[in-house]
């Protein structure tokens, strides 16, 4: 069974930093690209970032480019999102999601999300 | 990276069919056959219902179908059931390995 479990969401002050983690199981992690997607309270889904199977290629939404960094550790079956210079508008439920296969494919399996709140 | 346009809400009675539209541009929906649809129930992980415009993942009911015409994709649910009540989001490839979601549609089963 495919499982993705996000962690690391907390309350952080504007301008602060945070690293989210996503532990996966039930599939061969290093065969697949991975996505991060977020949902602000009362809002729709927003694609955040994508990483290739080997971590060699990364992509970002304009809203987070230069502030967020996606990475992965295939030896630990884990995906990460380093979030710097956080803003109030980054407050959201952050989901990690497995890509159908490569960087040209969208999310198929998702976790249940971890909540990040940016507030003073 | 502007969000795709979906109706805020749709509704239907049990047994009826409904269609949710997802309108983009030639740079996303119209430019690629990479449109997916997701079902969101509160407190649960989003579920993939349709991928590559019209393909159904294993385990998804054949009551769900997808299509596309020019810059608009559509999700049709036939034989509506109470458990179909949820939020639905479309998602399209937007080039350069970026993706864009729709604003979401709340489906109410009357």
């Amino acid at each position: 069974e495919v499982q993705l479990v996000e962690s690391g969401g907390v309350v952080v002050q504007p301008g602060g930093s945070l690293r989210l983690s996503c532990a996966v199981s039930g599939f061969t992690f290093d065969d697949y690209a991975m996505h991060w997607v977020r949902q602000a309270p009362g809002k729709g889904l927003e694609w955040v970032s994508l990483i290739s199977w080997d971590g060699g290629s990364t992509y970002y939404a304009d809203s987070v480019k230069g502030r967020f960094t996606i990475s992965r550790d295939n030896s630990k079956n884990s995906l990460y999102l380093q979030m710097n210079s956080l803003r109030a508008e980054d407050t959201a439920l952050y989901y990690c999601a497995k890509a159908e296969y490569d960087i040209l494919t969208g999310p198929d399996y998702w976790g249940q999300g971890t909540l990040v709140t940016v507030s003073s | 990276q502007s969000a795709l346009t979906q109706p805020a809400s749709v509704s239907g009675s049990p047994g009826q069919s409904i269609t949710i539209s997802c309108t983009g541009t030639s740079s996303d929906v119209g430019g690629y056959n990479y449109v997916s649809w997701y079902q969101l129930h509160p407190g649960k992980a989003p579920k993939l219902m349709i991928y590559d415009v019209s393909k159904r993942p294993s385990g998804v009911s054949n009551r769900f179908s997808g299509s596309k015409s020019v810059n608009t994709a559509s999700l049709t649910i036939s034989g509506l059931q109470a458990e179909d009540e949820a939020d639905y989001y479309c998602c399209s490839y937007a080039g350069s390995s970026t993706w864009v979601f729709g604003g979401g549609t709340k489906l109410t089963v009357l």
Side-chain angles (χ1 to χ4, degrees):
Chain A
E1 180 190 6
V2 173
Q3 289 194 323
L4 303 97
V5 180
E6 303 91 339
S7 61
V10 292
V11 178
V12 60
Q13 291 190 339
S17 297
L18 195 59
R19 188 173 89 150
L20 305 183
S21 299
C22 174
V24 313
S25 60
F27 64 98
T28 304
F29 183 57
D30 56 11
D31 277 352
Y32 295 92
M34 295 292 295
H35 294 265
W36 283 101
V37 178
R38 68 185 180 182
Q39 184 174 27
K43 303 293 186 181
L45 296 174
E46 180 187 14
W47 177 80
V48 173
S49 186
L50 167 66
I51 188 168
S52 60
W53 68 272
D54 63 350
S57 299
T58 57
Y59 307 89
Y60 300 92
D62 288 343
S63 58
V64 306
K65 198 173 295 183
R67 300 188 299 122
F68 289 12
T69 302
I70 190 173
S71 63
R72 64 191 295 162
D73 186 338
N74 287 346
S75 70
K76 295 183 178 179
N77 282 0
S78 292
L79 176 71
Y80 306 102
L81 186 67
Q82 177 67 42
M83 309 165 66
N84 298 330
S85 302
L86 282 162
R87 307 166 180 166
E89 54 264 36
D90 295 319
T91 293
L93 185 64
Y94 284 75
Y95 296 101
C96 72
K98 169 186 163 294
E100 291 165 43
Y101 36 97
D102 63 18
I103 59 173
L104 291 179
T105 58
D108 55 5
Y109 290 94
W110 301 57
Q112 292 197 317
T114 187
L115 182 62
V116 173
T117 303
V118 183
S119 174
S120 54
Chain B
Q1 295 176 343
S2 299
L4 307 175
T5 300
Q6 296 181 232
S9 63
V10 299
S11 63
S13 299
Q16 287 186 332
S17 294
I18 63 95
T19 296
I20 300 172
S21 61
C22 169
T23 301
T25 69
S26 58
S27 296
D28 37 62
V29 174
Y32 310 94
N33 287 322
Y34 296 138
V35 176
S36 304
W37 289 90
Y38 301 91
Q39 178 189 65
L40 273 72
H41 282 118
K44 296 182 68 176
K47 180 181 179 182
L48 176 66
M49 307 305 286
I50 295 288
Y51 68 101
D52 293 354
V53 176
S54 60
K55 297 177 182 177
R56 239 183 350 264
S58 174
V60 171
S61 170
N62 60 9
R63 298 186 297 106
F64 291 82
S65 62
S67 63
K68 190 185 83 166
S69 176
V70 192
N71 296 334
T72 297
S74 299
L75 173 71
T76 297
I77 309 174
S78 59
L80 267 180
Q81 298 179 1
E83 60 261 36
D84 298 333
E85 184 162 295
D87 293 331
Y88 290 86
Y89 288 84
C90 61
C91 175
S92 173
Y93 183 64
S96 303
S97 294
T98 64
W99 297 79
V100 60
F101 282 89
T105 298
K106 181 176 181 60
L107 169 62
T108 300
V109 180
L110 301 171

